Amino acid sequence: MGITTNHGAKSTYDSSTRSSLSALAKHSINTPLNQRFQDDPDRAMRYSSDIGPLFVDYSKHHIDKNILTTLCKLARDRGIPEQFEAFRAGAHLNNTEDRATNYPSLRRWAAEGQSGDDAIDSMYADMAKLVAAVRNGEMTGATGKPFTDIVNIGIGGSDFGPRLVCDALANQGTSSLKTHFAANIDPSVITEILTTIPAETTLFIVASKSFGTQETRSNATAARGWLRDKLNKDNVDPHFVAVTSKPESAEAFGIRKDLILCVPEWVGGRFSVWSAFGLAIALSSGMDNFKALLTGAYQIDQHVEHAPPEQNIPMILGLLDVWYRNAWGISSQAVLPYEHHLKLLPIYLQQLFMESAGKSVSCNGEVLQHGTGGVIWGTEGTNGQHSFHQLLHQGSDTIPCDFIASLQSYNPIGEQHQNLVANCFSQSLVLMQGQSATDIEQTLIKGGMAHDEAKQLAQHKAMLGNRPSTTILMEALNANALGALIALYEYRLFTASFVWGINPFDQWGVELGKQISQTLMGALSGDNTNPLDSSTAQLVDRYKNARKSKE
Ligand code: F6P
């Protein structure tokens, strides 16, 4: 196994460090957030900052000068700035796969015109050529017509990023091609897409880093079969391009060599939106928008490189994740975009955070004695307010929330956007302030309710408050702001992961499920050689019987 990732760490994240953090947390509970704002009129200004196209307000968190100093010292002790330096320098921080993690070099290509790595520069040159040929109609389908639709066939990191960005930019009149996404192996997905697209003018992107993913290969095979039938042609090659780190497998699958974009092996799936895996984005919104996405991320790269921990916003957010996870015992976090075109962000971040930080051994393979990545969830506001916000406000657990909003809407109707933003700001305010039972009781009594009844009802209506949140604002949702937002989350994840001592770049935990699904495929087709537990065997029988009864 390659190099460990403890570049520059001056201490371990040991139990005494964690105990000090817990003691600090216990002490900090004595000062409610409301109180902190009353005591310090400059608090909002002190704990907020512009960072590239984003404004981040983290003042509604359980922090003060002493806590931040302690957390920043932890960052230094754990060598976080040095790890970021190693990250930029191309060190193999992904030690279990012995791979580099030089994501800033991808963004450098967009902002500075070259990445410093020939393989990356040539990947983008091929991508730009392909994008231009499709968009100007030079590249056509098998019957000579220019493309009108693209279908990205990929899953996980080969789907979430392009899907998120295409959806986010769909609002802005930059799309010249209709974009569709097929991820799941559930045959309903590809079937329903195939019924809506024009065969002659659809381009399929088969996006798979490994080119071995079952879902993607099955959907691509189904799409090719459908296209051959529809066009009554055997050769439908001009309709299929591939994005992959395994060009030989794509070729063996039948993708034409000149239609394969090669992505360097070290680019991990959930971090691949910056690479040629962003092809659907560039095709639908243009290469300039794709570059703007990367330039937004580059602005965050620059910030992270130059800001000391005390002013380093992604680092502070990552340290807050450590603070809540290990000192407060919180293992859940909500992401609440008050922007319809960021509705896929929580799903994107689920893979980014949970596939990266869902680990319980250190980079060196030691079983960790502390909590690591928790659950990320959420949906667009205001929908969530009519669903799970009850739990955020009055549930028994504290769940830190991220509120994200843009200041301009692409669809202004009357006061609707203003009302959306008012809802966003009011939710974080209410989570923080809450409302005491005594105040509610008084109001009810003033309204004419009997004392006993008022006392009882007030208990149900009381809100504890003191629940922390971050608010992230952007002027308007565009490629640049979105790139910055995604990169902000990446660095936040890396910060927490480096403190925890885990490798956020591998995902060994998904492998066993893939292997066992092969066994189950055999069992469902009648292969009884692998013994199954009685529950699984019973489920298999049910499925086989249901299929038999349809024959
Ligand atoms: O199963 C998990 C995973 O390996 C993800 O990490 C990855 O993004 C996804 O599958 C898709 O993999 P590929 O791009 O190789 O098809």
Side-chain angles (χ1 to χ4, degrees):
M1 211 177 287
I3 304 151
T4 64
T5 63
N6 287 351
H7 295 267
K10 292 163 203 81
S11 71
T12 53
Y13 187 47
D14 56 15
S15 59
S16 89
T17 309
R18 298 195 306 273
S19 300
S20 317
L21 282 183
S22 299
L24 201 54
K26 271 202 191 102
H27 181 70
S28 78
I29 293 169
N30 297 330
T31 316
L33 290 170
N34 271 337
Q35 180 76 47
R36 293 191 186 281
F37 276 91
Q38 279 160 23
D39 293 349
D40 177 5
D42 293 335
R43 183 175 170 83
M45 222 175 62
R46 203 182 305 287
Y47 300 128
S48 61
S49 181
D50 286 292
I51 162 167
L54 309 175
F55 173 73
V56 180
D57 181 340
Y58 54 100
S59 60
K60 293 191 184 82
H61 279 287
H62 294 280
I63 48 167
D64 56 21
K65 196 163 178 247
N66 179 37
I67 294 168
L68 264 189
T69 304
T70 305
L71 292 173
C72 290
K73 180 175 177 315
L74 175 65
R76 287 200 174 87
D77 288 349
R78 295 293 293 147
I80 308 298
E82 289 83 354
Q83 299 228 41
F84 283 141
E85 217 177 289
F87 177 74
R88 282 189 296 275
H92 286 204
L93 295 193
N94 181 358
N95 69 317
T96 61
E97 296 176 309
D98 200 10
R99 286 179 190 159
T101 54
N102 195 0
Y103 297 103
S105 66
L106 300 172
R107 285 88 85 127
R108 206 176 303 131
W109 164 80
E112 296 177 12
Q114 55 183 16
S115 66
D117 177 332
D118 291 347
I120 295 173
D121 291 349
S122 86
M123 168 187 77
Y124 286 128
D126 293 347
M127 179 181 180
K129 223 189 284 164
L130 185 79
V131 169
V134 172
R135 281 172 69 93
N136 66 24
E138 199 183 293
M139 184 174 150
T140 64
T143 60
K145 292 191 179 161
F147 294 112
T148 59
D149 289 61
I150 47 179
V151 181
N152 188 85
I153 299 179
I155 195 163
S158 304
D159 168 71
F160 291 132
R163 197 192 281 253
L164 163 70
V165 181
C166 286
D167 187 53
L169 304 184
N171 213 5
Q172 298 170 31
T174 52
S175 299
S176 58
L177 290 157
K178 268 193 230 133
T179 317
H180 315 261
F181 289 88
N184 199 348
I185 198 166
D186 186 330
S188 299
V189 175
I190 191 72
T191 306
E192 286 166 21
I193 290 174
L194 296 178
T195 56
T196 62
I197 52 173
E200 275 185 286
T201 58
T202 295
L203 178 68
F204 294 91
I205 302 169
V206 189
S208 176
K209 193 184 154 184
S210 60
F211 225 87
T213 303
Q214 189 192 53
E215 290 91 333
T216 303
R217 289 180 72 97
S218 303
N219 281 333
T221 304
R224 189 165 51 189
W226 170 84
L227 201 58
R228 282 178 177 151
D229 279 358
K230 280 276 173 187
L231 300 185
N232 200 18
K233 271 179 185 294
D234 237 17
N235 184 351
V236 291
D237 295 354
H239 292 260
F240 286 86
V241 301
V243 185
T244 186
S245 299
K246 292 275 185 280
E248 57 296 337
S249 304
E251 228 185 311
F253 184 82
I255 309 284
R256 235 170 57 192
K257 201 173 178 167
D258 61 316
L259 296 180
I260 298 173
L261 295 179
C262 288
V263 177
E265 186 73 56
W266 61 262
V267 177
R270 57 193 173 276
F271 310 104
S272 67
V273 68
W274 318 110
S275 71
F277 279 100
L279 180 62
I281 303 165
L283 282 172
S284 65
S285 303
M287 214 54 198
D288 285 348
N289 263 306
F290 179 69
K291 280 187 177 174
L293 180 84
L294 273 60
T295 309
Y298 175 83
Q299 287 171 271
I300 306 298
D301 290 330
Q302 293 296 303
H303 170 89
V304 169
E305 184 173 346
H306 299 293
E310 290 73 12
Q311 286 150 32
N312 199 313
I313 303 302
M315 208 183 279
I316 290 171
L317 296 180
L319 291 167
L320 285 174
D321 290 342
V322 172
W323 171 237
Y324 288 122
R325 181 70 185 100
N326 300 135
W328 289 68
I330 292 171
S331 58
S332 167
Q333 204 170 299
V335 176
L336 310 167
Y338 277 66
E339 163 60 68
H340 178 59
H341 280 278
L342 283 180
K343 61 183 174 296
L344 300 178
L345 184 68
I347 298 175
Y348 178 85
L349 295 179
Q350 275 179 340
Q351 189 203 21
L352 183 67
F353 277 71
M354 291 160 79
E355 198 166 66
S356 302
K359 314 278 166 68
S360 42
V361 295
S362 74
C363 293
N364 303 327
E366 295 134 2
V367 176
L368 293 169
Q369 303 302 318
H370 56 77
T372 56
V375 177
I376 305 273
W377 58 282
T379 194
E380 65 183 301
T382 60
N383 295 3
Q385 289 177 212
H386 302 275
S387 161
F388 53 74
H389 280 227
Q390 164 66 34
L391 180 138
L392 295 177
H393 290 294
Q394 286 190 315
S396 53
D397 292 329
T398 293
I399 299 170
C401 299
D402 285 357
F403 291 93
I404 303 162
S406 47
L407 302 178
Q408 309 286 344
S409 171
Y410 288 95
N411 294 301
I413 305 179
E415 301 294 285
Q416 274 193 230
H417 184 257
Q418 193 168 310
N419 293 342
L420 172 74
V421 173
N423 271 281
C424 175
F425 295 172
S426 68
Q427 287 297 306
S428 61
L429 184 148
V430 169
L431 280 166
M432 175 177 77
Q433 290 193 339
Q435 201 177 14
S436 76
T438 321
D439 287 353
I440 297 167
E441 194 182 327
Q442 294 306 321
T443 312
L444 292 173
I445 291 168
K446 265 191 212 140
M449 191 177 275
H451 281 239
D452 279 0
E453 203 184 334
K455 196 176 178 68
Q456 210 198 2
L457 187 57
Q459 292 307 319
H460 293 277
K461 293 183 130 201
M463 322 251 289
L464 282 174
N466 214 20
R467 304 205 157 181
S469 65
T470 305
T471 299
I472 303 174
L473 302 178
M474 57 187 84
E475 182 62 29
L477 175 59
N478 54 35
N480 185 257
L482 183 55
L485 184 67
I486 298 172
L488 177 93
Y489 274 104
E490 283 187 354
Y491 278 111
R492 172 175 169 175
L493 161 76
F494 298 149
T495 301
S497 302
F498 295 160
V499 172
W500 288 326
I502 59 173
N503 176 359
F505 305 105
D506 62 13
Q507 60 285 319
W508 297 106
V510 300
E511 294 307 321
L512 182 60
K514 287 183 192 172
Q515 276 169 35
I516 301 293
S517 78
Q518 299 291 332
T519 307
L520 265 294
M521 275 177 232
L524 291 175
S525 330
D527 175 357
N528 297 323
T529 46
N530 289 301
L532 296 171
D533 65 84
S534 61
S535 164
T536 310
Q538 163 179 276
L539 300 173
V540 166
D541 283 346
R542 283 243 159 193
Y543 185 80
K544 283 189 346 202
N545 291 339
R547 290 279 292 236
K548 234 184 256 155
S549 68
K550 285 269 172 208
E551 280 166 14

